[in-house]
Every structure is written in C-alpha cells, then in structure tokens.
C-alpha cells in the first residue's frame, strides 16, 4: 500500500496543526473538515491528548443474530489480510470492542499498549478521533491516519471504520474497523471496510422473518416501483434533487420517522434537515398478502431550504392524492399554510400510491419522488421510541454527570440532565457530612439533610425548599420511607399521597395547586452507603410516572451516586492532604531580627501540592530563607514536602553552607526516588520524587546574602529606590538528579531591600509562559516602597487567577542590619596571656551595653572558648560579641576540628570547660567557614524568658 499518511503529515501541515489547534489557532486550511470537526468534539468534552482514561467493560458481546451474519464476513476479511500487518476490530454500537482479529505480534503489542483491545471503550468521547469512535459520531465510513488522531498515543496508527446498520430499522448495530501502522495505511482501506459492513448488512437482511418480508412486499406493491431496500446498497444516502443526503440528515430523518410510527394520530411531518433542505414524511398503513398490517414511512426531499405554500392534500378530483374511501377520512382539501410550518392530522393515512407527487399551487413539482424510509408497527414503534429516548438520556447522563470531583456540582449535573426530559422539578438532598467528605451516618426519616441542588423547568412559587435550606423529612413522606427502606418510592398521583403533604401542609398545599402531580424519590446509594435522596416531580408533563420511569430514575440516580461518592472520597482525601500540608508548614513567625517577613500559601484548586517555605534563624544573628516545590499533588506530595522541610531544618542546625545543604538535600531526594525497601514498592503513594528549592542565607552584620538554587525560579530583589532585579543564579538541576555541584552567588543588600522568593505557580500556568509571568511580577514589585504584607497582597491580586491550577508559595523579606554599635570584635594572638585581656574587654563592652548582669557568665564563656582556641587550634583567633535578641559570643580560629561535649570523669584533669559553657548558655554550636570554624553561644538578655 502507498504510505499516504506520511505525506499528509509532512505536506498537509499536520506536523504542528494539532498543537496550534490546542492553542486556539485557526487550522482549517491544514486539516480535513471531518477530522477538524472530530477534534472540536473532542475538545468540547474536555479530552486531553496526552492523558486518556479508557473505560473497560467486561463481557461485551453482540447478539447471536448479528454474530451469525458477521462471522463469515470477518473470516473472509481476516484471510485476505494474512500477508499484511493489519488487525480487524468489531465493536458494538457504543464503541466498545467485542473482538480483535489478525495482525502480527508487533502490531498487537502496540495496540494492547494503547488499550485498543477487547472490552475497552473506543468511542470518540473517550479516546478521541479514531476509526471506531469517529465512524459512530459521523454515522458513516471514515479514514484517520497519523497525526489526525486527537490522542498522542494513537498517532502511530492508521485506521478505517464503518458503522454496520440493521437494514430494517436503520440503526447502527456495530462498528467495523481496520487498523495498521501509519506508514502502511492507505485511504483505500475505507472501501474495504465499507464493503465488509455492507456484506454484514446484506446477511442481516437475509435473516428477516416472514412478517418483515411480507410488509416489505406490501409496500413495494403499493409503491409500484421496485426500489432498493435501505441497506442493500448505499441507499442510506439517496441522491435526490441532484444532491446526496448527508449521514446526519439521514439520522435525523430516521429519528423523526420513528416518532411518526409511534404516533397513531399523525399522518405527515415536515423536517428541516441540518443541511438546510426540507423533507416531508408520509405515514400510511400497508397490508400484506396474508393480512399482515404495519406502518410505512416514506420521505420526499425538496430542493430548497423550505417549502413554499403547498396544497398538501388536494380536494377530491384535483391532481394529487385521491380522496379516501368512504369512512376512512382524508387529509382535507386545499389546506394552505406558511412555509416551514409543521403538518399534523388526526385522521388515518390514505392508501395513496407512493409515487404521487406533492403539487405546488403553480403546478411545479415541489420535490423528488418518495422512497421508503422505515417500516414498523405502531405499538412497537412507540415502545422503541420511548426506549431510544431513555437510552439517550442514560447516555447523556453518563457523559454529563461526574465531570468534576465536587459533590455539589455533581448533584447539580444530575438535576440539569433530568430536567425537562424526565422531570419538571428535581431536588437533591445530602447530609452535611457528605459535603465535608466524611462517612455519612445511618440516614433515617428524621435525619437533617441539606438541599444542595434544585432544577425546574420554570421559576414559580412552588414553596419547596431552596438551595442551602435544611430539610428534615417526617416519617410518612416518600423521602423518609426511601431513606429508611433504602428503596425507591413512586407516588403517581401526588394528591392522594397524604404522607407527602404531612411534611408541611401549609407550605405544600400551594405546590399541588401549582400543578405538581407526580413524584419519584430515589435514595442515593453507592458502595453500600446511603448518601442522600433525590426527588423527581412532574407538573407540566401530562403523564404520571410509571414503572418504567421508576426503573429509569433508579438507573440515573445509581450512576450519579457513584460519582457523588467518588467526589466525597476525593473531598475527604483532599481535606486530609490539606490538613497534613498545613500542619507541616510554618506556624507563626520565628524570632529573629535580621529580616521582616510576610508570606502567603495558596493550595491549588485541583489538589494539595508540595510547595513550602521557611524562615529559619541561624547562629550569628543570621537567617535562612527557603522556598521549595515538590512535583505532583496529593498526600504523596504533601508527605514528601514534610520530609524535605524537616531535613532542611536538620541541615540548618549543622550550619552547613548553602551549596552543601542543597547537596545533602539532593542526596536525600535521590534516595527517596530509589525507594526505601518493600514499603516504597507497596505504598499507593510511591512514585518518582522531584523537587526544586531556593536557599538563601542573610547576615545582618555584613548585609551580605548568599543564594543557591536547584531548578527553582529566580528570586527578585527590590532595592529601597524601587528598582527590581532578578538575581542571576546559575541554573543548577532540580533535586534528585545527583552528580552536579550547586553554585552560590553572594551579593550585598542595602538595608530595607526586599527579597522576594516564590514557587512557579505564581508566574507560570498553562495559559501563560514564565517569561510573561516574570515581566508581570517585575511590574508589580517596582515602584513605591511597600511593607512585606502589602507586597504579598499586591502580587497575589495582580498575578493569581480566581482558581489557580497549581500551589503558590510566596515569601517576602525586608532586610535589616545590625549596626556597629551592637557589634564588638577583637583579633587575638595565639598567646595564653591574651585570655585575661579578653575577659577585661568583654567586661567593658557589657558595661557599655548595660548588660552588667551577664558579666560573670560571659567572662567565663569567653575565657573558656579563647583558651580552647589557643590551646587546640591554629591560625588567627577572633572574639566577637553581638547584641541582638540574645547576647551572642563567638570565637573563630583556623582549625577545622570541632570540639566535642563529654562528661569528664572524677580522675580527669580537664574536659569540663565545654560542659560548663553548655550549662551557662541557651544554645551553642559550631559552624564551619572557608578559613576554619566558629564556636558560638547564645545567652538570653535580662528580662527575656529562657
């Protein structure tokens, strides 16, 4: 076969047409009309090309009559493909695959990988443009190749599909599909699959019973012309008036013909087709040679978009349909009507020849000859029409209910689907526990429910409870009985239902007077739990509810109950994850004076994510600012975020440099990604871990800030004059990849500068790239000096949509400096004699600061630390005092050896100095510098609690 699909991909412009279509660009010149229509349908139902949720149904089968007709045709088709790598798929009328035949192992494996296999749903609304689903949607043969598929995973294939119809009713019974790899495809596959479908239809016609054949013969005798029966040829698209009818036109005609058969008092109907042409349908009785009676509907299609003023039934003696015999009634004489208005009569159809033309007043033929459209029986036709409407309602319910994981919205969708097609007023009542995502308690008649959704044909004072009202049904009401017995209750005549009106006679009596006359209540039950109750009322529809309506209501509510329970469970998990995440995020503000901070955290509407931030006080009056983002949403992301945040705190307690800290964090993420034994493999939340992080350390003494990042967006610095710069940090990889060093940047910040750290959800989403987001952020930050709180508010108001698609963490820190009047520093030689001088210097400095109360302990601490540095370390020794929220004493030296706290034995001569230091201070520790280390201590200032 000629690989035309490859040429279409390259020459036809499909290389980027799909992406441009998803972005909202015009692609009409690059994509075939039928394919573009399919893409639009896929987008309208919310399909995403890169992510499909393919439904599976077990035991999908076709009836024996169809299999008897189809099996020989499929066997012949399979044998003809013995030397070709092609597979044949037979699907039912809903697009679910029943059987797959042929194809080599490579093709079968690739089809299995995309779930194009028996039991899976290939309808267009589920898997997008393809040979099966699009043939169903177009109601005719289609050919789809390569990038014409809407879904990315189907683009390696070429396929041709055609519907198989019941030749008597015209309904689609199945879909036949031929699939191969894209480079082996050929549009000639359409002819092959169409011929196979016609062969199956012909074999189905051969199975028609004697009564069906007799009715067909009677119609042909009455017609006087030997016409092809629909289905024997491409008669589904008769060529009348010089233009062929489209598939959609024929589908509309058949639906109207079914309604006409089911309506015993209607004779004629006029139908405006989607193509703009107008068709007239004639219903009349036919009788077979053996006395069989039935109803035939024939169609005449006019050339223009509407009828002119026509004599639809001439008077006796005029040209046209002759007068009916005595006692049979007739259509009437010379009835004139406006163009396009419908024609209905309450008399039986006359036994007129099928070839009699409808004549316009000016004598011109108004349309083409009629052809047989449908044959049936009136009673059976009504039942078939009602069954079709119920199936259509169930189909729409399966598509429209449960589009979100929101309990209230799902209840609203149930009400929207059923009004007005099934009920004139619908109310859905749920307990508050379901709305919160909790397990509902056992519901009884006196259980308080919340009305969460109502829908009415028209707004009128029904006095029924409104949305948000609390409803407590008395035991005699149908709703209470439904909840108690877990069974549906039908009240065909509501005026006779004393138990219903006993709920509130004063409120409900006007409801009956307004016209509500029939009620069905169905408990919302899913997975053995009762979630609420649904009430269906009728007022405008004249028919009361029947047993069939009760079954339909139960099926509708059963489907909605599963969706509501799924939404409830999602709400519970979402709330749990949100509570976990909020418990892991900072509470309050840490005590430090280096920066003034404000922060915001906004969880995504789609689910809890793994964004976090932190402000961590460090030794030496410094502070660490951290912002991170764990990939994904849900409990797994929240738990991973908690582990990383805890790890950052632990690494900060070791006073690691920023690049060393990210190196340790990167190693931790790598170990989480590789798994931790059997627990990781069996955990439902286990999966690939990915995270980004930005870590900054600010020193208020030197006013220097050291920053490093791992795949995170650049931080912004707003100078006191309002200018904005994004810090040019090296683009280091995200956490977990390993093997790459993290680079740091150090800059000096003027006092009052604002350092802005954030996650990517603030500046990037599916509708805005990051460059545009950064430009918007720069514009908001620039200008007048704002406090950190005002900065947070301005940024969120300007940049965030109403429903953010990703978590957002924002941290704004305004820097302060520790002035020279609060810092004292001495460089000391490596001489034991300087210890006494250092004590004197400390005493004098504390007296200057008014901290005489701390003189004794601080002298002892400084003396011990300086002595240890001179005795055990090398290089220059420096003593520094800082008066911040605490009194900080630091001694630095050139050694990389850290002192170790131990308990000295009674026989030891030394080893007690560091123990005394630990007892006299609030905190102490060691931090390493490029030139050595610093031993630091903190003492609370007088008047501050320890």
């Amino acid at each position: 076969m000629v690989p035309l699909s490859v040429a279409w991909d390259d020459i036809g412009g499909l290389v980027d047409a799909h992406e441009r279509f998803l972005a909202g660009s015009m692609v009409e010149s690059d994509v075939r009309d039928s394919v573009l229509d399919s893409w639009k349908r896929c987008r309208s139902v919310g399909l995403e090309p890169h992510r499909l949720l393919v439904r599976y149904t077990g035991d999908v089968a076709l009836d024996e009559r169809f299999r008897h007709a189809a099996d020989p045709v499929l066997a012949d088709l399979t044998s003809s493909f013995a030397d070709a790598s092609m597979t044949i798929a037979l699907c039912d009328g809903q697009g679910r695959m029943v059987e797959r035949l042929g194809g080599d192992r490579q093709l079968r494996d690739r089809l299995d990988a995309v779930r194009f296999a028996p039991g899976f749903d290939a309808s267009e609304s589920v898997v997008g443009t393809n040979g099966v689903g699009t043939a169903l949607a177009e109601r005719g043969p289609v050919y789809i190749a390569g990038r014409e598929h809407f879904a990315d995973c189907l683009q390696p294939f070429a396929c041709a599909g055609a519907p198989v119809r019941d030749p008597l009713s015209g309904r689609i019974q199945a879909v036949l599909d031929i699939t191969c790899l894209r480079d082996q495809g050929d549009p000639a596959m359409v002819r092959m699959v169409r011929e196979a479908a016609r062969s199956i239809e012909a074999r189905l016609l051969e199975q028609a019973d004697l009564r069906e054949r007799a009715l067909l013969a009677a119609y042909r005798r009455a017609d006087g012309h030997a016409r092809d029966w629909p289905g024997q040829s491409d008669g589904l698209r008769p060529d009348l008036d010089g233009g062929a009818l489209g598939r959609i036109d024929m589908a509309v005609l058949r639906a109207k013909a079914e309604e006409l058969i089911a309506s015993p008092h209607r004779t004629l109907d006029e139908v405006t087709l989607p193509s703009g042409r107008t068709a007239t349908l004639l219903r009349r009785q036919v009788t077979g040679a053996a006395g069989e009676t039935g109803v035939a509907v024939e169609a005449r299609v006019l050339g223009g978009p509407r009828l002119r003023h026509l004599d639809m039934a001439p008077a006796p003696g005029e040209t046209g349909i002759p007068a009916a015999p005595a006692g049979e009634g007739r259509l009437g004489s010379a009835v004139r009507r406006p163009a396009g208005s419908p024609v209905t009569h309450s008399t039986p159809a006359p036994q007129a020849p099928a070839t009699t033309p409808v004549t316009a007043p000016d004598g011109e033929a108004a349309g083409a000859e009629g052809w047989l459209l449908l044959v049936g029986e009136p009673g059976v036709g009504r039942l078939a029409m009602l069954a079709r409407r119920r199936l259509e309602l169930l189909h729409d319910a399966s598509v429209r209910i449960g589009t979100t994981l929101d309990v209230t919205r799902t209840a609203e969708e149930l009400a929207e689907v059923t009004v007005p097609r099934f009920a004139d007023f619908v109310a859905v009542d749920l307990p508050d526990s379901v709305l919160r995502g909790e397990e509902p308690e056992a519901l009884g008649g006196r259980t308080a429910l919340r009305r969460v959704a109502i829908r009415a044909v028209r707004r009128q004072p029904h006095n029924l409870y409104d949305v948000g009202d609390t409803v407590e049904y008395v035991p005699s009401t149908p709703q209470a009985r439904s909840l108690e017995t877990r069974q549906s209750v039908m009240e065909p005549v509501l005026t006779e239902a004393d138990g219903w009106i006993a709920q509130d006679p004063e409120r409900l009596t006007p409801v009956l007077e307004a016209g509500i006359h029939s009620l069905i209540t169905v408990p919302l039950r899913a997975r053995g739990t009762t979630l609420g109750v649904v009430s269906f009322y009728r007022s405008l529809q004249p028919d009361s509810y029947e047993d069939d309506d009760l079954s339909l209501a139960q099926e509708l509510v059963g489907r909605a109950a599963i969706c509501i329970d799924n939404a409830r469970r999602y709400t519970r998990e979402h709330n749990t994850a949100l509570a976990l995440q909020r418990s892991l995020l900072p509470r309050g503000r840490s005590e430090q004076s280096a920066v003034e901070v404000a922060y915001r955290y906004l969880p995504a509407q789609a689910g809890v994510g793994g964004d976090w931030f932190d402000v961590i006080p460090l030794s030496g009056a410094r502070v660490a600012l951290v912002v991170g983002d764990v990939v994904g949403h849900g409990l797994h992301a929240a738990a991973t975020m908690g582990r990383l945040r805890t790890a950052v705190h632990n690494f900060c307690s070791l006073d690691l440099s920023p690049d060393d800290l990210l190196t340790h964090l990167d190693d931790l993420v790598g170990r989480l990604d590789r798994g931790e034994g059997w627990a990781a493999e069996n955990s439902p939340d286990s999966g690939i871990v990915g995270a980004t992080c930005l870590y900054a350390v600010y020193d208020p003494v030197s006013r220097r800030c050291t920053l490093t990042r791992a795949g995170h967006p650049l931080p912004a610095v707003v100078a006191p004059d309002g200018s904005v710069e994004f810090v040019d940090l090296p683009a280091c990889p995200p956490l977990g990849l390993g093997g790459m060093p993290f680079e740091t940047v150090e800059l000096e910040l003027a006092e009052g500068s604002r350092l802005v750290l954030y996650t990517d959800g603030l500046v990037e989403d599916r509708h805005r790239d990051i460059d545009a987001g950064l430009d918007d952020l720069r514009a908001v930050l620039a200008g007048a000096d704002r406090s950190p709180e005002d900065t947070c508010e301005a940024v969120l108001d300007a940049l965030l949509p109403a429903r953010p698609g990703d978590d957002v963490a924002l941290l704004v820190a305004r820097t302060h400096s520790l002035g020279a009047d609060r810092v004292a520093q001495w460089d000391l030689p490596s001489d034991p004699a300087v210890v006494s001088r250092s004590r004197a210097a400390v005493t004098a400095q504390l007296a200057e600061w008014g901290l005489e109360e701390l003189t004794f302990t601080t002298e002892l601490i400084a003396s011990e630390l300086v002595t240890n540095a001179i005795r055990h370390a090398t290089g220059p020794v420096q003593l520094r005092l800082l008066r911040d929220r605490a009194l900080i004493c630091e001694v630095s030296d050139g050694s990389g050896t850290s002192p170790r706290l131990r308990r000295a034995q009674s026989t030891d001569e030394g080893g007690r100095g560091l123990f005394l230091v630990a007892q006299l201070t609030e905190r102490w520790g060691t931090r390493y510098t490029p030139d050595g280390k610093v031993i630091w201590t903190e003492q609370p200032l007088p008047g501050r609690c320890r």
Side-chain angles (χ1 to χ4, degrees), residues 60-67 70 90-93 98 173-175:
V60 181
L62 297 169
D63 59 59
E64 290 299 325
R65 172 174 171 267
F66 186 92
R67 294 310 304 253
L90 180 64
C91 304
D92 65 7
V98 178
Q173 297 288 97
V175 181

Side-chain angles (χ1 to χ4, degrees), residues 573 633-637 678-688:
E573 185 167 327
H633 293 85
L635 284 173
H636 180 52
W678 70 270
E681 296 176 1
N682 294 277
S683 171
D685 284 330
S686 63
I688 295 177

Side-chain angles (χ1 to χ4, degrees), residues 161 318 337 371 436 511 519 530 594 721 735 881 885 910 912 915:
E318 295 182 354
R337 58 188 180 81
W371 83 97
R436 294 192 299 266
V511 173
L519 166 68
T530 303
D721 61 1
L735 299 174
L881 293 181
R885 291 177 176 264
R912 295 175 180 83
F915 178 77

Side-chain angles (χ1 to χ4, degrees), residues 760-770 799-801 804-806:
D760 59 356
L762 180 69
V763 294
E764 184 180 21
D765 56 38
R766 60 187 303 179
H767 304 296
R768 175 182 58 183
D769 62 36
I770 191 169
L799 270 68
L800 275 195
D806 193 7

Side-chain angles (χ1 to χ4, degrees), residues 291-358:
E292 305 88 351
T293 60
V295 176
V297 176
E298 69 175 23
R300 292 181 174 87
V301 179
L302 306 179
R306 62 170 64 185
L307 288 172
R308 295 186 295 170
H309 299 291
L310 301 180
D311 288 331
M312 295 304 297
E318 295 182 354
T319 303
I321 300 176
E328 287 193 350
R330 59 187 179 85
L331 292 176
S333 59
V335 179
R336 294 183 180 272
R337 58 188 180 81
S341 61
V343 179
T344 57
H345 288 275
S346 59
T347 57
Q351 299 294 324
T355 55
T356 303
V358 180

Side-chain angles (χ1 to χ4, degrees), residues 549-583:
D549 296 317
L550 182 62
S551 300
L552 178 58
Q554 292 171 337
E555 179 68 21
L556 289 169
V557 174
R559 297 187 180 194
I562 294 295
C563 297
I564 289 177
D565 191 49
N566 290 340
R568 178 190 66 82
R569 291 168 182 261
Y570 170 79
T571 301
R572 179 184 61 190
E573 185 167 327
H574 177 80
N575 292 340
T576 301
L578 187 59
L580 171 63
Q581 185 184 47
R582 292 196 180 279
S583 69

Side-chain angles (χ1 to χ4, degrees), residues 7-18 20 30-31:
W8 287 3
D9 281 351
D10 298 335
I11 300 174
L14 286 176
V15 174
D16 62 342
H18 191 253
R20 290 190 287 111
D30 299 324
V31 185

Side-chain angles (χ1 to χ4, degrees), residues 256-270:
K256 292 297 184 180
E258 291 176 2
E259 295 179 7
L260 199 58
I261 287 178
S263 305
H265 303 299
R266 295 176 59 193
T267 303
L268 293 173
D269 196 5
E270 182 184 270

